[in-house]
Amino acid sequence: MGRRALVPYLWLNLTLVIVAALWLTLHLAVDAGGAVLPGYLIGLCAIAITAVPIGRAGMLPSLNPAARRFWHGLRVTALLCAAGWGVAVAGIVMDPPPPGIAPRLSPLTTVPIVCGALLFLTVVLLLPLGTRSPAERLRYALDSTTAVLAGSVFVWHFVIEPLVPGRGPVSEFALLAIAVASLLAGCVLTRLLLGGDIPVDRPAMYLLCGTGLLSAVSGFATIVWGEQGKLGAAVIAVPAAALALTGAAIRQAYAPEAVPADRAGTRIPFVVFPYVAVAAVNGLLLLVANAGAADRHVRTVVIAAVATSALVVLRQLTVLSDNTRLVTHLRAQEMRLQREATHDALTGLANRALFNSRLHSADGATVLLIDLDDFKTVNDTLGHAVGDRLLKAVASALRQATGDRGLPARLGGDEFAVLVPSDGQADQVAQRLLEALHRPLLAGGHWLLARVSIGAATARPGDQAEDVLRNADIAMYAAKARGKARLVHYASGMAEPVLDQMQTGGELRRALDAGELTLYYQPIADLASGRTIGVEALVRWQHPVRGLVCPAEFIAAAERTGLIVPLGRWALGEACRQAVAWTEELGDAAPYKVSVNVSAHQLQDPSFPAEVSAALAASGLAADRLVLEITESAALRGGAIMATLHELHTLGIHLALDDFGTGESSLSLLFAFPVGILKLDRSFVTGIEIDTAAGVPDEARLAVARAVQQMADALGLVTVAEGIENPSQAARLRELGYTTGQGYLLSRPLSPADLAASLTGAV
């Protein structure tokens, strides 16, 4: 039902009020002793009509459930009052009152009206208080009780007590009207003042409060004007109250969007109200005592004053308890925030901010900068949850190794640090940590061997904290370069290689964007005929100043900076494209297979197989013509890389183990790794043809080279000998069974054009 459909009810109720006023005026002026039935019928019609807009206001779609329950309850209240007033009208019809006397209220009249008033109180009290704590709800109950008690004392003193001695038939209606009205108005006002936001429109609630005030006015009119006042109150107050109820319903319909039930009561309560009530009751006590009232009267007010004061004291105790809890909570929160600002959330160690602060104030202290070796492998293969547990385990080992000799901290990621008073103590802490990490650590159900590289730097006179940290960082990278899992002290001149590598990384980024990188190709040939059967792609950097730069000078910088991934992606695509271009240019003379080196960083990316497939599709190269060369150390980095390798093998791509024989678990890899090609490392080829001083060949190299070939034959693998530089080496390798080789004897790395010329005999 639309909002406008409720407006006619307002005009109808207003008309009834006007008609009731005209009838009362005519009745009192012309025939005061005449029939009163028309006046009471007007009131009955007004109450009955009011139930309709109230009920329809409760069906507004914008109301939340709490407001809807309120208006439905108010409609039942109106119907109960209409029923009670209907009984009064029926009594007038069946037993007309004597002339000049207003009809007396029978129990059948008062019971429905009182029940309606109690229902009204119930729906008001059931309005939600919102998201309040139990203590706040208790304070609300105490404040409400205080306010109602104070109001009741004033009604008793100024209204009910004066009527008790007997005013005849007048007191009956007056007592009922004033008591009910005071209860209704006091309850609504208390709810409005103490309840904060409510799901019912606030102006509508004030109009409802007006109905109680009208009832109170009717009671006072009865006291002042007797029977005529009683009749006037009954005829005018009832339709006027109905008009106020209808206005409240229409106001609700036109009100802004109602407050959600879960937000109701979120305003700050009107806390002054209970103290005003206490002051008023105590003021009344002084008034009664000074006026020399009866002892019974004084005792009643004293009891009320003590009760209201006790309620307020109890309220203050709850406030004090809440304040104490709040202060305790704030102190705990302050301590927690201070700790969070100075400590690492994961490990509980000091964080970078606290470490830097202590380092600034330290004099002659030594910094140990600690970095976990190959920590990314743990995250990539076992997940970040296991990685976090490993960091916690390392932090615990670091805390035990440090003891009371310094401040351990986590600077971020897998980087830790310890600030110790002296260099000697730093060595002891580092040694204890290295010894502790020789044993596996339990992390998320996995026993993991964590290795750390440690760089040490001591603050010298005039050094800033940043200088000490930078020196320790340089020493730590030197420890990684020397084989990891060790302690290295910073020394003068140690920074140059690191700075050179950082500068090289920056230039390499520019070189990638500027197209300064190119691929050279070293043939892989048949040892018997010298025919090229494949090529290995090798990256070269055509530097604008330094000229042609070999990979040994920039691959380490690419690995450290992460540029190895885009570099490898470019090399893969370019090698595939070049292989197809040679086939189109040279036909059968073109090398059939092209080998491309792949880094561990690329293999750790789950999307790498898709990148390889895209490169093959873009170039048109068949999958069986591509060989990906992987080092043993890369293959050993975990299950994620192994899964990638198996996926690549499924695509039909050949996989080769590069530098075979120098890794940590070569033999075990042959069973787990889908390898098809073994490339014997050049360290086992160099000197293989040289005899010792006693005229006996170098049996160690021969033994390794022979064992690799025999194992490959047994497993059905292809072998390629690397680093062949003279005919004697080639001859010795052929004796051992090697048929394929690579090295300067066969060909140096060539540009694409030079390789094409060599294959066609143009050079």
Side-chain angles (χ1 to χ4, degrees):
M1 182 178 182
R3 297 173 177 177
R4 295 183 179 180
L6 297 178
V7 176
Y9 292 96
L10 180 66
W11 292 113
L12 183 57
N13 276 108
L14 180 60
T15 301
L16 289 175
V17 171
I18 295 174
V19 170
L22 293 175
W23 178 87
L24 181 62
T25 301
L26 181 64
H27 178 78
L28 295 177
V30 178
D31 186 12
V36 298
L37 181 61
Y40 278 77
L41 282 174
I42 294 173
L44 177 61
C45 292
I47 298 176
I49 290 171
T50 299
V52 178
I54 292 177
R56 291 181 175 175
M59 294 186 292
L60 293 170
S62 61
L63 294 182
N64 59 52
R68 190 170 289 113
R69 286 194 301 268
F70 173 82
W71 287 105
H72 288 329
L74 193 59
R75 179 185 59 178
V76 176
T77 296
L79 293 176
L80 287 172
C81 292
W85 208 249
V87 172
V89 170
I92 294 174
V93 173
M94 297 175 60
D95 185 16
I101 301 297
R104 297 177 63 86
L105 299 179
S106 66
L108 293 178
T109 299
T110 57
V111 168
I113 294 175
V114 172
C115 289
L118 294 176
L119 178 61
F120 178 82
L121 293 177
T122 302
V123 296
V124 170
L125 294 175
L126 287 179
L127 288 175
L129 293 175
T131 53
R132 294 190 175 191
S133 65
E136 289 175 329
R137 292 178 179 273
L138 175 60
R139 283 197 294 275
Y140 169 75
L142 293 173
D143 291 343
S144 301
T145 305
T146 302
V148 172
L149 177 59
S152 301
V153 171
F154 273 83
V155 170
W156 174 81
H157 175 73
F158 289 105
V159 178
I160 298 178
E161 180 67 17
L163 294 176
V164 170
R167 296 290 185 92
V170 176
S171 61
E172 175 189 351
F173 182 85
L175 286 172
L176 177 63
I178 294 174
V180 172
S182 301
L183 191 59
L184 294 179
C187 180
V188 175
L189 279 175
T190 301
R191 182 65 181 85
L192 288 173
L193 292 175
L194 296 177
D197 287 332
I198 53 177
V200 179
D201 181 63
R202 187 170 287 271
M205 290 290 287
Y206 285 123
L207 287 173
L208 294 178
C209 183
T211 61
L213 296 177
L214 287 172
S215 299
V217 169
S218 67
F220 284 106
T222 301
I223 297 173
V224 176
W225 290 296
E227 287 294 335
Q228 291 184 351
K230 180 180 180 181
L231 180 61
V235 173
I236 298 297
V238 173
L243 177 63
L245 290 172
T246 302
I250 295 175
R251 167 63 199 183
Q252 179 67 75
Y254 281 88
E257 185 177 352
V259 177
D262 59 347
R263 282 181 45 214
T266 55
R267 288 183 183 175
I268 298 175
F270 189 68
V271 295
V272 178
F273 192 56
Y275 303 107
V276 173
V278 171
V281 172
N282 282 278
L284 178 63
L285 176 61
L286 294 175
L287 178 65
V288 171
N290 292 333
D295 291 343
R296 178 178 59 83
H297 199 137
V298 174
R299 282 197 302 271
T300 302
V301 177
V302 167
I303 292 172
V306 172
T308 54
S309 300
L311 289 171
V312 172
V313 169
L314 182 58
R315 180 192 190 282
Q316 287 305 103
L317 289 176
T318 64
V319 172
L320 179 61
S321 177
D322 267 7
N323 289 342
T324 302
R325 284 196 298 270
L326 178 60
V327 170
T328 303
H329 173 72
L330 289 176
R331 288 177 178 172
Q333 188 176 29
E334 181 182 6
M335 294 177 63
R336 179 177 60 82
L337 291 175
Q338 288 179 349
R339 180 168 181 81
E340 288 178 355
T342 57
H343 287 75
D344 176 57
L346 177 65
T347 63
L349 298 178
N351 62 11
R352 182 180 291 272
L354 179 58
F355 187 84
N356 287 342
S357 175
R358 296 284 182 87
L359 181 57
H360 274 288
S361 59
D363 184 17
T366 296
V367 170
L368 293 177
L369 197 64
I370 304 162
D371 188 82
L372 266 69
D373 298 329
D374 303 319
F375 176 71
K376 188 175 185 300
T377 304
V378 177
N379 278 339
D380 292 340
T381 57
L382 300 178
H384 289 275
V386 175
D388 287 346
R389 291 186 175 92
L390 178 59
L391 291 175
K392 290 181 179 179
V394 172
S396 177
L398 181 59
R399 194 180 287 110
Q400 292 178 5
T402 305
D404 58 355
R405 291 177 174 82
L407 175 68
R410 182 188 177 206
L411 303 185
D414 60 341
E415 190 175 62
F416 297 84
V418 180
L419 180 64
V420 290
S422 66
D423 187 53
Q425 290 180 325
D427 286 348
Q428 295 174 11
V429 171
Q431 190 59 38
R432 280 197 297 269
L433 179 61
L434 290 172
E435 291 175 359
L437 296 182
H438 272 301
R439 298 181 295 274
L441 301 176
L442 181 61
H446 300 270
W447 287 98
L448 302 176
L449 190 60
R451 302 193 306 171
V452 293
S453 297
I454 307 175
T458 302
R460 297 167 300 187
D463 280 351
Q464 300 295 321
E466 294 79 8
D467 300 330
V468 182
L469 277 174
R470 184 185 65 250
N471 293 341
D473 194 40
I474 292 171
M476 184 267 292
Y477 278 107
K480 286 183 177 292
R482 297 179 188 179
K484 304 179 180 180
R486 65 191 63 220
L487 168 67
V488 172
H489 284 267
Y490 174 78
S492 179
M494 189 178 286
E496 281 72 13
V498 176
L499 294 177
D500 288 344
Q501 196 175 83
M502 293 176 63
Q503 183 177 0
T504 301
E507 291 186 1
L508 184 59
R509 175 73 271 177
R510 179 195 54 76
L512 276 170
D513 298 335
E516 296 177 2
L517 297 176
T518 186
L519 287 182
Y520 273 50
Y521 298 88
Q522 185 173 29
I524 300 173
D526 181 88
L527 291 180
S529 63
R531 183 177 61 87
T532 298
I533 59 176
V535 292
E536 179 182 356
L538 302 171
V539 181
R540 296 293 186 267
W541 179 3
Q542 190 63 49
H543 196 281
V545 177
R546 299 162 59 188
L548 197 63
V549 182
C550 293
E553 300 184 40
F554 62 85
I555 288 298
E559 290 276 0
R560 181 181 177 187
T561 59
L563 291 175
I564 194 67
V565 174
L567 175 60
R569 187 184 302 118
W570 168 82
L572 176 64
E574 178 64 17
C576 292
R577 184 199 62 77
Q578 185 61 62
V580 174
W582 278 327
T583 301
E584 295 173 350
E585 177 185 356
L586 307 176
D588 292 341
Y592 185 75
K593 292 183 179 180
V594 58
S595 298
V596 180
N597 290 281
V598 179
S599 73
H601 289 81
Q602 292 174 276
L603 294 173
Q604 287 169 344
D605 187 351
S607 64
F608 180 67
E611 290 183 5
V612 176
S613 297
L616 293 173
S619 63
L621 184 69
D624 66 339
R625 295 186 60 188
L626 177 63
V627 178
L628 296 181
E629 297 190 8
I630 297 101
T631 62
E632 293 175 85
S633 59
L636 285 169
R637 289 200 176 189
I641 288 181
M642 193 62 68
T644 299
L645 296 176
H646 280 282
E647 188 174 351
L648 292 169
H649 179 68
T650 303
L651 294 175
I653 297 166
H654 296 284
L655 300 177
L657 271 182
D658 196 13
D659 303 330
F660 186 75
T662 60
E664 299 177 4
S665 302
S666 302
L667 297 180
S668 65
L669 278 178
L670 297 180
F671 298 98
F673 177 54
V675 64
I677 303 170
L678 297 182
K679 300 191 73 174
L680 180 68
D681 186 70
R682 66 178 60 249
S683 63
F684 301 109
V685 174
T686 301
I688 196 173
E689 81 290 2
I690 302 175
D691 294 339
T692 63
V696 180
D698 190 338
E699 294 295 339
R701 289 186 177 88
L702 283 173
V704 172
R706 182 182 296 110
V708 170
Q709 180 59 44
Q710 291 175 349
M711 182 172 52
D713 289 340
L715 296 175
L717 304 178
V718 176
T719 56
V720 177
E722 296 181 299
I724 304 175
E725 297 182 353
N726 57 64
S728 298
Q729 292 175 347
R732 183 63 60 87
L733 289 168
R734 284 197 304 271
E735 291 175 5
L736 296 175
Y738 287 86
T739 60
T740 308
Q742 181 180 359
Y744 283 1
L745 172 66
L746 303 171
S747 175
R748 289 178 176 271
L750 301 173
S751 67
D754 291 342
L755 180 63
S758 69
L759 293 174
T760 57
V763 294

